[in-house]
Amino acid sequence: MNTLPSANDFIDPLLSDRFKGYPRTQPPRRRSEVGAAGWNVLAGDLPLPLAVLKREALEHNLAWMQSRVREWGIDLAPHGKTTMSPQLFQRQLDAGAWGLTFATVTQLAVGVAAGARRTLIANQVVSDEDLTGIQMLLADHADLRIVFLVDSTAQLALIEDWAKRHPASVPFEVMLEIGIDGGRTGCRTHAEAVAVARAVRASGVAKLVGIESYEGLNATGSTEQDTAFAKALMDRIEAVARHCDAHGLFEADEVLVSAGGSAIFDLVAGRLKPALGSPVRGLLRSGCYVTHDHGFYKRMVNVVDERMGCECGEGLTPAMEVWANVQSRPEPGLAILSVGKRDISFDMSMPIPVAHAARGALQSHAVPASWKVTALNDQHAYLRWDESDEAQAPVVGDRVGLGISHPCTTFDKWHWMPVVENDYRVSDAVVIHF
């Protein structure tokens, strides 16, 4: 049974003041009609706080990353969990992405409804519900491909047990995950990886179609350390891939080799097509590139830009901001903003003030370097500044635009976001399905 709404309500739902950030003074509109409403964030047409996406930066980032993978001779299967937005999925696919990656079967179903037909689950699938869900999706879409990860014979045993109870099922396509000591999932040793691969080959319930790993959690921002780490990991992946290839453990016309978060993707991209006896498709899974950020990923990708040099042109550009009102000036050097943990990411760092607009002003300007958000409550942010910048301090009623660090955990706080031009005119909107 399809539990998703109709295609029109899914891709183009009716937005109303039930959605945070939608103006209560306006009638409900379809998502596709928002751009024609004539709204401007700085004109006060929408309530704050409000997360927005900047159209030109989005388009730049989509084109930039697609250009990079094309130059590297690999493909892009961006991680959809970053945004969980059908409209952004469609933009990524239209820009040339090979497919989309997800963390769960529930997320994958949203991607399939948005049009994805080549999909990865960069995670182990172990429950009966999820295994059945994959088979249902495959049965509903003859052109759909779903590949998920295995890293143990214990997981394989659960799949085999499920298959015994579902004899009409088709074999699952799986990739062998190579893990890192102290990290998350994945085989820790070469011997363990080979043993799992042999068990999959001997099983009739799954087919080994590739090798996978994730390097992002160990990224430091130091080129020397990150280069050594990425080389060691990719050497391990290549060794396992060569063994599986030499011993006939792959059951695919084309072997998938995949890695790539959004922090040191350049250091793994060149190793995703090892020379095997079968054709190889390298798949980079970076997801946060689509919006980038003003914090962690900005710092990490600045180092990527240095390694790649000027031939890659202008690098990724932050495309997401969250705007809030100055609602109180209770003490010298302190402003309380109408935004908090319910509205903006804080898991990797505090929000970063990037823009300021006086009440009634239709233009924004950059903020002094001393402006810092020092704390968040559920619905409030604490903005402070140096005494030397008091003359430029915000007053009650002003608006402050905040950059973010780690876009994933801002997306999951909103059901929709307006897409804006650089002058904050609303030209489109996306919906989000967390």
Side-chain angles (χ1 to χ4, degrees):
M1 180 183 298
N2 183 3
T3 58
L4 288 169
S6 68
N8 189 50
D9 286 337
F10 178 72
I11 299 295
D12 196 24
L14 190 67
L15 302 179
S16 71
D17 60 11
R18 295 186 300 107
F19 293 77
K20 179 172 65 172
Y22 192 92
R24 294 187 62 83
T25 57
Q26 292 288 320
R29 283 180 171 82
R30 289 283 176 186
R31 181 208 59 81
S32 61
E33 298 171 339
V34 166
W39 297 338
N40 186 306
V41 175
L42 298 186
D45 295 326
L46 298 99
L48 304 185
L50 183 70
V52 304
L53 301 174
K54 305 186 86 169
R55 180 188 60 80
E56 289 190 12
L58 279 177
E59 293 179 357
H60 168 80
N61 294 343
L62 288 165
W64 188 92
M65 184 60 86
Q66 201 62 50
S67 178
R68 300 288 78 72
V69 296
R70 186 167 54 249
E71 290 171 358
W72 288 323
I74 58 177
D75 285 286
L76 188 62
H79 218 315
K81 73 174 175 62
T82 298
T83 71
M84 286 308 297
S85 169
Q87 292 74 38
L88 295 178
F89 295 165
Q90 290 175 338
R91 289 184 183 224
Q92 290 172 307
L93 293 170
D94 289 346
W98 174 87
L100 294 173
T101 300
F102 300 94
T104 68
V105 177
T106 298
Q107 292 177 0
L108 182 139
V110 175
V112 171
R117 290 298 178 266
R118 301 187 188 109
T119 64
L120 308 179
I121 300 177
N123 221 342
Q124 282 67 30
V125 178
V126 297
S127 73
D128 285 4
E129 166 66 22
D130 284 343
L131 293 167
T132 303
I134 289 174
Q135 291 285 328
M136 289 174 62
L137 286 166
L138 292 171
D140 288 343
H141 303 278
D143 57 345
L144 176 61
R145 186 178 190 189
I146 301 172
V147 182
F148 64 85
L149 307 187
V150 295
D151 70 350
S152 69
T153 53
Q155 178 194 359
L156 181 61
L158 293 176
I159 299 171
E160 290 174 333
D161 176 69
W162 177 92
K164 288 178 183 176
R165 291 177 278 116
H166 299 82
S169 62
V170 299
F172 295 99
E173 290 192 281
V174 299
M175 299 176 72
L176 180 67
E177 181 172 29
I178 307 302
I180 300 160
D181 285 345
R184 297 190 304 210
T185 50
C187 299
R188 296 315 202 239
T189 68
H190 182 90
E192 181 185 358
V194 168
V196 175
R198 289 187 179 280
V200 172
R201 186 66 177 89
S203 173
V205 304
K207 298 188 300 182
L208 186 65
V209 300
I211 306 286
E212 182 274 352
S213 190
Y214 171 61
E215 78 294 339
L217 286 179
N218 289 68
T220 66
S222 163
T223 289
E224 182 178 0
Q225 294 180 44
D226 290 341
T227 300
F229 164 73
K231 180 182 184 303
L233 176 61
M234 298 311 293
D235 285 349
R236 290 178 58 207
I237 291 171
E238 183 167 338
V240 174
R242 288 182 179 278
H243 180 98
C244 292
D245 182 55
H247 291 82
L249 302 184
F250 290 122
E251 295 184 80
D253 295 332
E254 176 184 74
V255 176
L256 305 179
V257 179
S258 179
S262 298
I264 55 171
F265 51 86
D266 63 309
L267 296 179
V268 299
R271 299 290 304 276
L272 294 179
K273 294 191 73 171
L276 303 180
S278 301
V280 176
R281 185 175 297 275
L283 294 175
L284 196 71
R285 300 194 312 277
S286 307
C288 293
Y289 77 92
V290 68
T291 62
H292 198 42
D293 70 13
H294 289 85
F296 174 76
Y297 286 115
K298 179 179 181 180
R299 177 173 67 85
M300 297 298 290
V301 177
N302 281 347
V303 182
V304 173
D305 291 343
E306 292 173 4
R307 287 194 293 263
M308 294 175 63
C310 62
E311 73 274 5
C312 67
E314 181 185 0
L316 296 173
T317 302
M320 181 189 289
E321 296 172 1
V322 181
W323 280 80
N325 289 307
V326 177
Q327 66 181 85
S328 181
R329 283 285 313 273
E331 302 170 9
L334 172 65
I336 303 299
L337 309 182
S338 62
V339 63
K341 294 178 180 179
R342 306 279 183 172
D343 313 301
I344 196 166
S345 54
F346 57 92
D347 55 314
M348 300 190 80
S349 75
M350 287 290 109
I352 303 103
V354 296
H356 173 211
R359 180 181 177 86
L362 292 179
Q363 294 80 36
S364 65
H365 54 82
V367 304
S370 72
W371 283 27
K372 287 182 174 58
V373 172
T374 59
L376 291 176
N377 301 143
D378 278 3
Q379 310 286 177
H380 300 90
Y382 295 70
L383 174 66
R384 300 182 185 273
W385 53 88
D386 291 347
E387 185 177 351
S388 60
D389 287 323
E390 183 62 36
Q392 302 175 71
V395 301
V396 172
D398 285 359
R399 288 77 54 81
V400 176
L402 301 172
I404 51 105
S405 188
H406 194 201
C408 302
T409 48
T410 294
F411 271 107
D412 65 12
K413 301 180 190 307
W414 297 85
H415 294 298
W416 80 292
M417 291 182 188
V419 177
V420 301
E421 302 303 306
N422 289 337
D423 61 1
Y424 297 97
R425 288 180 296 113
V426 176
S427 57
D428 199 355
V430 304
V431 291
I432 300 155
H433 289 274
F434 277 102

